Amino acid sequence: YFDCGDTDELGFNLQNQAFAQALAQKGLNYTYEEYSGYAGNAAGHANYIAERLRKILKFHSDAFVRAMQSE
């Protein structure tokens, strides 16, 4: 799982798009989300970090639980 704002001022969205394409070409399983901001608050590098962190941690927590259950 990885994500990025669609107006990231460091260009991470472009790098992540290329990485997602490379993973897909290799047939690897992944989740990539690109999120938008809202009026007056663009989805840049520093914005939304707390909001996105909750989602990222939940995703990985759920994945660890599934992995432990399958052992």
Side-chain angles (χ1 to χ4, degrees):
Y1 179 90
F2 56 111
D3 68 10
C4 191
D6 62 2
T7 56
D8 188 276
E9 59 273 11
L10 299 177
F12 287 151
N13 56 325
L14 302 176
Q15 295 167 12
N16 284 345
Q17 290 167 7
F19 185 54
Q21 287 178 341
L23 293 173
Q25 288 174 348
K26 297 286 185 186
L28 298 173
N29 199 8
Y30 69 94
T31 298
Y32 173 58
E33 292 186 18
E34 199 166 290
Y35 53 92
S36 298
Y38 49 88
N41 198 7
H45 184 69
N47 298 346
Y48 301 98
I49 189 70
E51 183 179 313
R52 300 308 297 179
L53 190 57
R54 277 188 231 97
K55 184 168 185 158
I56 292 165
L57 292 174
K58 171 111 175 72
F59 178 92
H60 287 289
S61 176
D62 292 347
F64 290 138
V65 167
R66 285 191 305 273
M68 295 302 291
Q69 289 173 344
S70 67
E71 288 184 355

